Amino acid sequence: MTQAWVVLTRPDGREVAAPSEAQMAAALAEVYSGNAASPDGGPGSAVLRFGYDDGLMYEVEVSTGGRVRFAEWSDRDCEIALADPRTMAALAQADALQLWRLLAQRQVAKIRSQPWSDAA
């Protein structure tokens, strides 16, 4: 049986398996505060990934300033992109949390239907 999973990668690089909404909100608050920095010292971002042990993976990355990127992959190793990454600029924190909620609830079609830009 295929097992689904959700993992949050916080701005500091730590991963949280099956994050709660409070953990997701805290990671976004850190990103949106402007105090988040990646482990290499660059601008901070946080990524929520949803996927299956033996297949597809989806990710929504939120960066400082509200830039959001949505990517679809053939597997957890990001070997084959299933579509060009889509982006949004200056998304409000509450809207970014809503995208993460949808991803955690496996609502990929609803995420795809958002007003994305095709430029990565």
Side-chain angles (χ1 to χ4, degrees):
M1 180 178 201
T2 300
Q3 294 294 316
W5 50 267
V6 176
V7 174
L8 169 65
T9 303
R10 297 174 36 83
D12 61 11
R14 289 184 292 157
E15 291 191 346
V16 179
S20 67
E21 186 165 329
Q23 289 170 314
M24 292 189 295
L28 285 175
E30 192 174 338
V31 169
Y32 277 84
S33 73
N35 295 326
S38 67
D40 64 4
S45 69
V47 183
L48 189 70
R49 292 179 179 87
F50 157 67
Y52 298 96
D53 287 341
D54 63 352
L56 304 173
M57 182 184 76
Y58 307 93
E59 64 182 10
V60 175
E61 178 179 18
V62 181
S63 301
T64 303
R67 182 172 168 84
V68 178
R69 185 182 59 84
F70 172 59
E72 302 180 58
W73 300 96
S74 63
D75 60 24
R76 195 173 200 161
D77 296 326
C78 304
E79 290 183 8
I80 300 171
L82 299 178
D84 288 335
R86 291 162 240 170
T87 62
M88 288 185 206
L91 192 67
Q93 184 174 340
D95 294 331
L97 181 58
Q98 180 59 29
L99 284 176
W100 277 7
R101 280 187 198 116
L102 290 171
L103 190 62
Q105 297 166 0
R106 307 177 190 183
Q107 300 292 318
V108 175
K110 288 183 181 178
I111 294 171
R112 284 185 189 125
S113 71
Q114 299 298 310
W116 297 102
S117 166
D118 291 332

mmCIF file of all heavy atoms in Angstrom, residues 6-11 19-29 31-32 45-50 59-63 68-69 91 93-107 111:
data_model
loop_
_atom_site.group_PDB
_atom_site.id
_atom_site.type_symbol
_atom_site.label_atom_id
_atom_site.label_comp_id
_atom_site.label_asym_id
_atom_site.label_seq_id
_atom_site.Cartn_x
_atom_site.Cartn_y
_atom_site.Cartn_z
ATOM 1 N N VAL A 6 3.697 14.067 4.672
ATOM 2 C CA VAL A 6 3.820 15.524 4.593
ATOM 3 C C VAL A 6 5.018 15.906 5.468
ATOM 4 O O VAL A 6 5.111 15.457 6.612
ATOM 5 C CB VAL A 6 2.546 16.243 5.094
ATOM 6 C CG1 VAL A 6 2.734 17.755 5.090
ATOM 7 C CG2 VAL A 6 1.349 15.863 4.245
ATOM 8 N N VAL A 7 5.907 16.729 4.910
ATOM 9 C CA VAL A 7 7.089 17.170 5.648
ATOM 10 C C VAL A 7 7.246 18.676 5.467
ATOM 11 O O VAL A 7 7.164 19.192 4.345
ATOM 12 C CB VAL A 7 8.361 16.449 5.155
ATOM 13 C CG1 VAL A 7 9.609 17.034 5.827
ATOM 14 C CG2 VAL A 7 8.284 14.963 5.404
ATOM 15 N N LEU A 8 7.498 19.365 6.564
ATOM 16 C CA LEU A 8 7.786 20.796 6.560
ATOM 17 C C LEU A 8 9.284 20.974 6.763
ATOM 18 O O LEU A 8 9.847 20.407 7.699
ATOM 19 C CB LEU A 8 7.026 21.486 7.699
ATOM 20 C CG LEU A 8 7.407 22.933 8.006
ATOM 21 C CD1 LEU A 8 7.076 23.851 6.846
ATOM 22 C CD2 LEU A 8 6.714 23.398 9.280
ATOM 23 N N THR A 9 9.923 21.727 5.884
ATOM 24 C CA THR A 9 11.313 22.111 6.097
ATOM 25 C C THR A 9 11.301 23.567 6.531
ATOM 26 O O THR A 9 10.910 24.455 5.765
ATOM 27 C CB THR A 9 12.164 21.928 4.822
ATOM 28 O OG1 THR A 9 12.057 20.568 4.402
ATOM 29 C CG2 THR A 9 13.619 22.269 5.095
ATOM 30 N N ARG A 10 11.702 23.785 7.778
ATOM 31 C CA ARG A 10 11.689 25.122 8.368
ATOM 32 C C ARG A 10 12.812 25.980 7.782
ATOM 33 O O ARG A 10 13.723 25.456 7.150
ATOM 34 C CB ARG A 10 11.853 24.995 9.885
ATOM 35 C CG ARG A 10 10.720 24.252 10.560
ATOM 36 C CD ARG A 10 10.998 24.015 12.045
ATOM 37 N NE ARG A 10 11.706 25.121 12.670
ATOM 38 C CZ ARG A 10 11.128 26.233 13.137
ATOM 39 N NH1 ARG A 10 9.822 26.374 13.072
ATOM 40 N NH2 ARG A 10 11.857 27.187 13.673
ATOM 41 N N PRO A 11 12.795 27.297 7.999
ATOM 42 C CA PRO A 11 13.854 28.165 7.463
ATOM 43 C C PRO A 11 15.260 27.772 7.937
ATOM 44 O O PRO A 11 16.232 27.975 7.215
ATOM 45 C CB PRO A 11 13.477 29.557 7.982
ATOM 46 C CG PRO A 11 11.999 29.496 8.171
ATOM 47 C CD PRO A 11 11.716 28.083 8.620
ATOM 48 N N PRO A 19 3.496 18.007 10.086
ATOM 49 C CA PRO A 19 3.393 19.212 10.921
ATOM 50 C C PRO A 19 1.948 19.589 11.218
ATOM 51 O O PRO A 19 1.055 19.381 10.399
ATOM 52 C CB PRO A 19 4.062 20.288 10.076
ATOM 53 C CG PRO A 19 3.839 19.829 8.669
ATOM 54 C CD PRO A 19 3.938 18.328 8.732
ATOM 55 N N SER A 20 1.767 20.159 12.395
ATOM 56 C CA SER A 20 0.454 20.689 12.768
ATOM 57 C C SER A 20 0.272 22.044 12.099
ATOM 58 O O SER A 20 1.233 22.650 11.603
ATOM 59 C CB SER A 20 0.373 20.858 14.288
ATOM 60 O OG SER A 20 1.265 21.886 14.704
ATOM 61 N N GLU A 21 -0.952 22.534 12.102
ATOM 62 C CA GLU A 21 -1.201 23.860 11.534
ATOM 63 C C GLU A 21 -0.411 24.919 12.299
ATOM 64 O O GLU A 21 0.105 25.859 11.708
ATOM 65 C CB GLU A 21 -2.687 24.192 11.543
ATOM 66 C CG GLU A 21 -2.958 25.485 10.820
ATOM 67 C CD GLU A 21 -4.412 25.719 10.477
ATOM 68 O OE1 GLU A 21 -5.143 24.748 10.239
ATOM 69 O OE2 GLU A 21 -4.798 26.894 10.412
ATOM 70 N N ALA A 22 -0.285 24.751 13.618
ATOM 71 C CA ALA A 22 0.480 25.706 14.427
ATOM 72 C C ALA A 22 1.952 25.715 14.022
ATOM 73 O O ALA A 22 2.582 26.781 13.963
ATOM 74 C CB ALA A 22 0.338 25.375 15.906
ATOM 75 N N GLN A 23 2.522 24.549 13.717
ATOM 76 C CA GLN A 23 3.910 24.477 13.281
ATOM 77 C C GLN A 23 4.087 25.124 11.908
ATOM 78 O O GLN A 23 5.082 25.805 11.664
ATOM 79 C CB GLN A 23 4.387 23.026 13.254
ATOM 80 C CG GLN A 23 4.569 22.435 14.640
ATOM 81 C CD GLN A 23 4.797 20.939 14.607
ATOM 82 O OE1 GLN A 23 4.096 20.197 13.910
ATOM 83 N NE2 GLN A 23 5.779 20.480 15.364
ATOM 84 N N MET A 24 3.112 24.917 11.028
ATOM 85 C CA MET A 24 3.175 25.553 9.712
ATOM 86 C C MET A 24 3.086 27.070 9.858
ATOM 87 O O MET A 24 3.856 27.808 9.241
ATOM 88 C CB MET A 24 2.074 25.021 8.798
ATOM 89 C CG MET A 24 2.259 23.572 8.404
ATOM 90 S SD MET A 24 1.124 22.953 7.132
ATOM 91 C CE MET A 24 -0.470 23.049 7.934
ATOM 92 N N ALA A 25 2.159 27.537 10.693
ATOM 93 C CA ALA A 25 1.985 28.974 10.893
ATOM 94 C C ALA A 25 3.238 29.599 11.504
ATOM 95 O O ALA A 25 3.634 30.704 11.114
ATOM 96 C CB ALA A 25 0.764 29.233 11.777
ATOM 97 N N ALA A 26 3.878 28.895 12.432
ATOM 98 C CA ALA A 26 5.096 29.417 13.057
ATOM 99 C C ALA A 26 6.234 29.539 12.043
ATOM 100 O O ALA A 26 6.974 30.535 12.048
ATOM 101 C CB ALA A 26 5.514 28.523 14.222
ATOM 102 N N ALA A 27 6.371 28.557 11.157
ATOM 103 C CA ALA A 27 7.413 28.619 10.130
ATOM 104 C C ALA A 27 7.155 29.793 9.189
ATOM 105 O O ALA A 27 8.085 30.526 8.825
ATOM 106 C CB ALA A 27 7.473 27.310 9.354
ATOM 107 N N LEU A 28 5.907 29.993 8.804
ATOM 108 C CA LEU A 28 5.580 31.120 7.928
ATOM 109 C C LEU A 28 5.803 32.450 8.636
ATOM 110 O O LEU A 28 6.287 33.407 8.018
ATOM 111 C CB LEU A 28 4.137 31.023 7.435
ATOM 112 C CG LEU A 28 3.887 29.973 6.359
ATOM 113 C CD1 LEU A 28 2.404 29.882 6.042
ATOM 114 C CD2 LEU A 28 4.694 30.270 5.097
ATOM 115 N N ALA A 29 5.476 32.521 9.912
ATOM 116 C CA ALA A 29 5.695 33.757 10.665
ATOM 117 C C ALA A 29 7.181 34.115 10.672
ATOM 118 O O ALA A 29 7.548 35.291 10.540
ATOM 119 C CB ALA A 29 5.169 33.606 12.091
ATOM 120 N N VAL A 31 9.378 33.279 8.325
ATOM 121 C CA VAL A 31 9.717 33.720 6.972
ATOM 122 C C VAL A 31 9.225 35.144 6.739
ATOM 123 O O VAL A 31 9.969 35.999 6.255
ATOM 124 C CB VAL A 31 9.123 32.767 5.914
ATOM 125 C CG1 VAL A 31 9.240 33.352 4.509
ATOM 126 C CG2 VAL A 31 9.791 31.403 5.977
ATOM 127 N N TYR A 32 7.983 35.424 7.080
ATOM 128 C CA TYR A 32 7.391 36.735 6.809
ATOM 129 C C TYR A 32 7.934 37.835 7.714
ATOM 130 O O TYR A 32 7.848 39.009 7.373
ATOM 131 C CB TYR A 32 5.864 36.671 6.898
ATOM 132 C CG TYR A 32 5.235 36.177 5.615
ATOM 133 C CD1 TYR A 32 5.109 34.822 5.352
ATOM 134 C CD2 TYR A 32 4.771 37.072 4.650
ATOM 135 C CE1 TYR A 32 4.541 34.361 4.177
ATOM 136 C CE2 TYR A 32 4.201 36.622 3.466
ATOM 137 C CZ TYR A 32 4.098 35.268 3.237
ATOM 138 O OH TYR A 32 3.535 34.820 2.060
ATOM 139 N N SER A 45 13.504 30.727 3.631
ATOM 140 C CA SER A 45 12.309 30.163 3.020
ATOM 141 C C SER A 45 11.928 28.925 3.810
ATOM 142 O O SER A 45 12.722 28.388 4.581
ATOM 143 C CB SER A 45 12.537 29.810 1.548
ATOM 144 O OG SER A 45 13.424 28.723 1.427
ATOM 145 N N ALA A 46 10.698 28.501 3.611
ATOM 146 C CA ALA A 46 10.200 27.276 4.226
ATOM 147 C C ALA A 46 9.440 26.521 3.138
ATOM 148 O O ALA A 46 8.829 27.138 2.265
ATOM 149 C CB ALA A 46 9.294 27.584 5.415
ATOM 150 N N VAL A 47 9.505 25.199 3.204
ATOM 151 C CA VAL A 47 8.901 24.368 2.168
ATOM 152 C C VAL A 47 8.016 23.317 2.807
ATOM 153 O O VAL A 47 8.427 22.640 3.753
ATOM 154 C CB VAL A 47 9.980 23.647 1.326
ATOM 155 C CG1 VAL A 47 9.338 22.850 0.197
ATOM 156 C CG2 VAL A 47 11.005 24.615 0.790
ATOM 157 N N LEU A 48 6.813 23.176 2.276
ATOM 158 C CA LEU A 48 5.934 22.078 2.671
ATOM 159 C C LEU A 48 5.880 21.123 1.486
ATOM 160 O O LEU A 48 5.630 21.541 0.356
ATOM 161 C CB LEU A 48 4.529 22.567 3.021
ATOM 162 C CG LEU A 48 3.640 21.485 3.636
ATOM 163 C CD1 LEU A 48 4.115 21.117 5.046
ATOM 164 C CD2 LEU A 48 2.192 21.917 3.674
ATOM 165 N N ARG A 49 6.163 19.853 1.772
ATOM 166 C CA ARG A 49 6.141 18.815 0.733
ATOM 167 C C ARG A 49 5.106 17.767 1.094
ATOM 168 O O ARG A 49 4.979 17.393 2.257
ATOM 169 C CB ARG A 49 7.506 18.158 0.607
ATOM 170 C CG ARG A 49 8.572 19.059 0.072
ATOM 171 C CD ARG A 49 9.935 18.363 -0.014
ATOM 172 N NE ARG A 49 10.936 19.258 -0.560
ATOM 173 C CZ ARG A 49 11.638 20.104 0.177
ATOM 174 N NH1 ARG A 49 11.466 20.162 1.477
ATOM 175 N NH2 ARG A 49 12.529 20.899 -0.394
ATOM 176 N N PHE A 50 4.414 17.294 0.063
ATOM 177 C CA PHE A 50 3.452 16.208 0.202
ATOM 178 C C PHE A 50 3.764 15.207 -0.885
ATOM 179 O O PHE A 50 4.030 15.577 -2.029
ATOM 180 C CB PHE A 50 2.021 16.733 0.048
ATOM 181 C CG PHE A 50 1.039 15.679 -0.373
ATOM 182 C CD1 PHE A 50 0.720 14.630 0.464
ATOM 183 C CD2 PHE A 50 0.461 15.723 -1.623
ATOM 184 C CE1 PHE A 50 -0.168 13.637 0.062
ATOM 185 C CE2 PHE A 50 -0.431 14.742 -2.040
ATOM 186 C CZ PHE A 50 -0.743 13.697 -1.189
ATOM 187 N N GLU A 59 5.471 20.311 -3.863
ATOM 188 C CA GLU A 59 6.044 21.198 -2.855
ATOM 189 C C GLU A 59 5.602 22.629 -3.083
ATOM 190 O O GLU A 59 5.480 23.078 -4.219
ATOM 191 C CB GLU A 59 7.561 21.095 -2.813
ATOM 192 C CG GLU A 59 8.277 21.545 -4.055
ATOM 193 C CD GLU A 59 9.793 21.365 -3.967
ATOM 194 O OE1 GLU A 59 10.293 20.726 -3.025
ATOM 195 O OE2 GLU A 59 10.475 21.875 -4.857
ATOM 196 N N VAL A 60 5.364 23.317 -1.970
ATOM 197 C CA VAL A 60 5.057 24.739 -1.987
ATOM 198 C C VAL A 60 6.099 25.408 -1.098
ATOM 199 O O VAL A 60 6.146 25.178 0.111
ATOM 200 C CB VAL A 60 3.633 25.036 -1.479
ATOM 201 C CG1 VAL A 60 3.398 26.541 -1.409
ATOM 202 C CG2 VAL A 60 2.589 24.379 -2.377
ATOM 203 N N GLU A 61 6.968 26.207 -1.737
ATOM 204 C CA GLU A 61 8.025 26.921 -1.018
ATOM 205 C C GLU A 61 7.618 28.381 -0.876
ATOM 206 O O GLU A 61 7.193 29.014 -1.849
ATOM 207 C CB GLU A 61 9.344 26.837 -1.779
ATOM 208 C CG GLU A 61 10.459 27.593 -1.106
ATOM 209 C CD GLU A 61 11.776 27.488 -1.850
ATOM 210 O OE1 GLU A 61 11.775 27.130 -3.046
ATOM 211 O OE2 GLU A 61 12.820 27.776 -1.234
ATOM 212 N N VAL A 62 7.763 28.910 0.342
ATOM 213 C CA VAL A 62 7.441 30.311 0.624
ATOM 214 C C VAL A 62 8.735 30.992 1.064
ATOM 215 O O VAL A 62 9.394 30.535 1.998
ATOM 216 C CB VAL A 62 6.371 30.436 1.721
ATOM 217 C CG1 VAL A 62 6.034 31.903 1.970
ATOM 218 C CG2 VAL A 62 5.111 29.659 1.332
ATOM 219 N N SER A 63 9.083 32.089 0.375
ATOM 220 C CA SER A 63 10.315 32.818 0.658
ATOM 221 C C SER A 63 9.998 34.183 1.248
ATOM 222 O O SER A 63 8.876 34.690 1.118
ATOM 223 C CB SER A 63 11.120 33.016 -0.631
ATOM 224 O OG SER A 63 11.425 31.783 -1.216
ATOM 225 N N VAL A 68 6.152 32.741 -3.625
ATOM 226 C CA VAL A 68 5.732 31.346 -3.469
ATOM 227 C C VAL A 68 6.017 30.601 -4.762
ATOM 228 O O VAL A 68 5.786 31.120 -5.855
ATOM 229 C CB VAL A 68 4.228 31.257 -3.127
ATOM 230 C CG1 VAL A 68 3.781 29.813 -3.001
ATOM 231 C CG2 VAL A 68 3.934 32.016 -1.839
ATOM 232 N N ARG A 69 6.540 29.376 -4.611
ATOM 233 C CA ARG A 69 6.819 28.515 -5.767
ATOM 234 C C ARG A 69 6.163 27.158 -5.537
ATOM 235 O O ARG A 69 6.297 26.568 -4.476
ATOM 236 C CB ARG A 69 8.323 28.322 -5.937
ATOM 237 C CG ARG A 69 8.720 27.531 -7.183
ATOM 238 C CD ARG A 69 10.227 27.330 -7.268
ATOM 239 N NE ARG A 69 10.740 26.623 -6.120
ATOM 240 C CZ ARG A 69 10.747 25.291 -5.985
ATOM 241 N NH1 ARG A 69 10.264 24.522 -6.936
ATOM 242 N NH2 ARG A 69 11.234 24.735 -4.910
ATOM 243 N N LEU A 91 2.650 37.258 -1.931
ATOM 244 C CA LEU A 91 1.440 36.628 -1.394
ATOM 245 C C LEU A 91 1.348 36.910 0.104
ATOM 246 O O LEU A 91 2.353 36.853 0.824
ATOM 247 C CB LEU A 91 1.495 35.114 -1.638
ATOM 248 C CG LEU A 91 0.195 34.347 -1.403
ATOM 249 C CD1 LEU A 91 -0.855 34.748 -2.438
ATOM 250 C CD2 LEU A 91 0.440 32.857 -1.464
ATOM 251 N N GLN A 93 0.651 36.387 4.040
ATOM 252 C CA GLN A 93 0.966 35.252 4.916
ATOM 253 C C GLN A 93 -0.230 34.316 5.091
ATOM 254 O O GLN A 93 -0.078 33.093 5.041
ATOM 255 C CB GLN A 93 1.446 35.775 6.273
ATOM 256 C CG GLN A 93 1.901 34.699 7.226
ATOM 257 C CD GLN A 93 2.507 35.272 8.490
ATOM 258 O OE1 GLN A 93 2.931 36.426 8.529
ATOM 259 N NE2 GLN A 93 2.566 34.473 9.534
ATOM 260 N N ALA A 94 -1.417 34.865 5.291
ATOM 261 C CA ALA A 94 -2.620 34.033 5.471
ATOM 262 C C ALA A 94 -2.910 33.213 4.211
ATOM 263 O O ALA A 94 -3.344 32.054 4.306
ATOM 264 C CB ALA A 94 -3.822 34.902 5.830
ATOM 265 N N ASP A 95 -2.653 33.785 3.049
ATOM 266 C CA ASP A 95 -2.875 33.059 1.794
ATOM 267 C C ASP A 95 -1.846 31.947 1.610
ATOM 268 O O ASP A 95 -2.167 30.879 1.099
ATOM 269 C CB ASP A 95 -2.847 34.024 0.612
ATOM 270 C CG ASP A 95 -4.007 35.019 0.647
ATOM 271 O OD1 ASP A 95 -5.080 34.679 1.199
ATOM 272 O OD2 ASP A 95 -3.832 36.134 0.135
ATOM 273 N N ALA A 96 -0.619 32.201 2.033
ATOM 274 C CA ALA A 96 0.413 31.160 1.969
ATOM 275 C C ALA A 96 0.041 30.005 2.900
ATOM 276 O O ALA A 96 0.177 28.833 2.530
ATOM 277 C CB ALA A 96 1.769 31.743 2.350
ATOM 278 N N LEU A 97 -0.466 30.318 4.078
ATOM 279 C CA LEU A 97 -0.897 29.267 5.002
ATOM 280 C C LEU A 97 -2.044 28.464 4.401
ATOM 281 O O LEU A 97 -2.096 27.234 4.525
ATOM 282 C CB LEU A 97 -1.302 29.858 6.357
ATOM 283 C CG LEU A 97 -1.744 28.846 7.414
ATOM 284 C CD1 LEU A 97 -0.656 27.812 7.700
ATOM 285 C CD2 LEU A 97 -2.158 29.566 8.692
ATOM 286 N N GLN A 98 -2.948 29.139 3.697
ATOM 287 C CA GLN A 98 -4.053 28.426 3.048
ATOM 288 C C GLN A 98 -3.533 27.455 1.987
ATOM 289 O O GLN A 98 -4.028 26.330 1.881
ATOM 290 C CB GLN A 98 -5.053 29.407 2.437
ATOM 291 C CG GLN A 98 -6.227 28.738 1.741
ATOM 292 C CD GLN A 98 -7.049 27.836 2.657
ATOM 293 O OE1 GLN A 98 -7.138 28.043 3.865
ATOM 294 N NE2 GLN A 98 -7.661 26.812 2.096
ATOM 295 N N LEU A 99 -2.535 27.858 1.218
ATOM 296 C CA LEU A 99 -1.940 26.944 0.233
ATOM 297 C C LEU A 99 -1.335 25.725 0.929
ATOM 298 O O LEU A 99 -1.488 24.598 0.470
ATOM 299 C CB LEU A 99 -0.864 27.658 -0.585
ATOM 300 C CG LEU A 99 -1.334 28.616 -1.660
ATOM 301 C CD1 LEU A 99 -0.140 29.310 -2.301
ATOM 302 C CD2 LEU A 99 -2.169 27.901 -2.704
ATOM 303 N N TRP A 100 -0.654 25.964 2.036
ATOM 304 C CA TRP A 100 -0.070 24.840 2.791
ATOM 305 C C TRP A 100 -1.158 23.928 3.350
ATOM 306 O O TRP A 100 -1.013 22.721 3.354
ATOM 307 C CB TRP A 100 0.826 25.358 3.896
ATOM 308 C CG TRP A 100 2.213 25.695 3.428
ATOM 309 C CD1 TRP A 100 2.673 25.717 2.145
ATOM 310 C CD2 TRP A 100 3.311 26.035 4.251
ATOM 311 N NE1 TRP A 100 3.997 26.059 2.130
ATOM 312 C CE2 TRP A 100 4.419 26.266 3.401
ATOM 313 C CE3 TRP A 100 3.467 26.198 5.620
ATOM 314 C CZ2 TRP A 100 5.674 26.617 3.890
ATOM 315 C CZ3 TRP A 100 4.722 26.553 6.110
ATOM 316 C CH2 TRP A 100 5.806 26.757 5.259
ATOM 317 N N ARG A 101 -2.242 24.522 3.830
ATOM 318 C CA ARG A 101 -3.357 23.694 4.319
ATOM 319 C C ARG A 101 -3.877 22.793 3.200
ATOM 320 O O ARG A 101 -4.127 21.615 3.411
ATOM 321 C CB ARG A 101 -4.519 24.571 4.805
ATOM 322 C CG ARG A 101 -4.367 25.152 6.157
ATOM 323 C CD ARG A 101 -5.687 25.841 6.557
ATOM 324 N NE ARG A 101 -5.475 26.757 7.629
ATOM 325 C CZ ARG A 101 -5.649 28.079 7.559
ATOM 326 N NH1 ARG A 101 -6.078 28.641 6.434
ATOM 327 N NH2 ARG A 101 -5.427 28.826 8.608
ATOM 328 N N LEU A 102 -4.080 23.378 2.031
ATOM 329 C CA LEU A 102 -4.563 22.591 0.885
ATOM 330 C C LEU A 102 -3.603 21.456 0.554
ATOM 331 O O LEU A 102 -4.028 20.327 0.298
ATOM 332 C CB LEU A 102 -4.764 23.482 -0.337
ATOM 333 C CG LEU A 102 -5.918 24.479 -0.282
ATOM 334 C CD1 LEU A 102 -5.858 25.441 -1.462
ATOM 335 C CD2 LEU A 102 -7.249 23.748 -0.232
ATOM 336 N N LEU A 103 -2.307 21.744 0.574
ATOM 337 C CA LEU A 103 -1.330 20.708 0.274
ATOM 338 C C LEU A 103 -1.357 19.611 1.335
ATOM 339 O O LEU A 103 -1.348 18.429 1.004
ATOM 340 C CB LEU A 103 0.075 21.307 0.167
ATOM 341 C CG LEU A 103 1.144 20.367 -0.377
ATOM 342 C CD1 LEU A 103 0.823 19.929 -1.798
ATOM 343 C CD2 LEU A 103 2.512 21.020 -0.316
ATOM 344 N N ALA A 104 -1.419 19.987 2.593
ATOM 345 C CA ALA A 104 -1.472 18.997 3.676
ATOM 346 C C ALA A 104 -2.727 18.135 3.595
ATOM 347 O O ALA A 104 -2.725 16.978 4.020
ATOM 348 C CB ALA A 104 -1.390 19.693 5.035
ATOM 349 N N GLN A 105 -3.791 18.692 3.018
ATOM 350 C CA GLN A 105 -5.052 17.957 2.847
ATOM 351 C C GLN A 105 -5.128 17.237 1.498
ATOM 352 O O GLN A 105 -6.185 16.734 1.121
ATOM 353 C CB GLN A 105 -6.239 18.918 2.979
ATOM 354 C CG GLN A 105 -6.359 19.549 4.328
ATOM 355 C CD GLN A 105 -7.314 20.733 4.343
ATOM 356 O OE1 GLN A 105 -7.911 21.093 3.331
ATOM 357 N NE2 GLN A 105 -7.448 21.361 5.503
ATOM 358 N N ARG A 106 -4.019 17.201 0.771
ATOM 359 C CA ARG A 106 -3.923 16.501 -0.516
ATOM 360 C C ARG A 106 -4.816 17.102 -1.592
ATOM 361 O O ARG A 106 -5.282 16.428 -2.494
ATOM 362 C CB ARG A 106 -4.232 15.015 -0.357
ATOM 363 C CG ARG A 106 -3.410 14.337 0.697
ATOM 364 C CD ARG A 106 -3.822 12.906 0.847
ATOM 365 N NE ARG A 106 -3.179 12.327 2.026
ATOM 366 C CZ ARG A 106 -3.314 11.072 2.377
ATOM 367 N NH1 ARG A 106 -4.064 10.255 1.665
ATOM 368 N NH2 ARG A 106 -2.708 10.618 3.437
ATOM 369 N N GLN A 107 -5.048 18.397 -1.531
ATOM 370 C CA GLN A 107 -5.917 19.093 -2.476
ATOM 371 C C GLN A 107 -5.087 19.721 -3.598
ATOM 372 O O GLN A 107 -5.134 20.922 -3.848
ATOM 373 C CB GLN A 107 -6.737 20.162 -1.746
ATOM 374 C CG GLN A 107 -7.624 19.622 -0.660
ATOM 375 C CD GLN A 107 -8.744 18.771 -1.230
ATOM 376 O OE1 GLN A 107 -9.349 19.110 -2.232
ATOM 377 N NE2 GLN A 107 -9.008 17.644 -0.583
ATOM 378 N N ILE A 111 -4.723 23.600 -5.609
ATOM 379 C CA ILE A 111 -3.494 24.389 -5.675
ATOM 380 C C ILE A 111 -3.180 24.726 -7.130
ATOM 381 O O ILE A 111 -2.843 25.863 -7.454
ATOM 382 C CB ILE A 111 -2.324 23.644 -5.011
ATOM 383 C CG1 ILE A 111 -2.606 23.505 -3.512
ATOM 384 C CG2 ILE A 111 -1.004 24.368 -5.247
ATOM 385 C CD1 ILE A 111 -1.643 22.600 -2.792
#
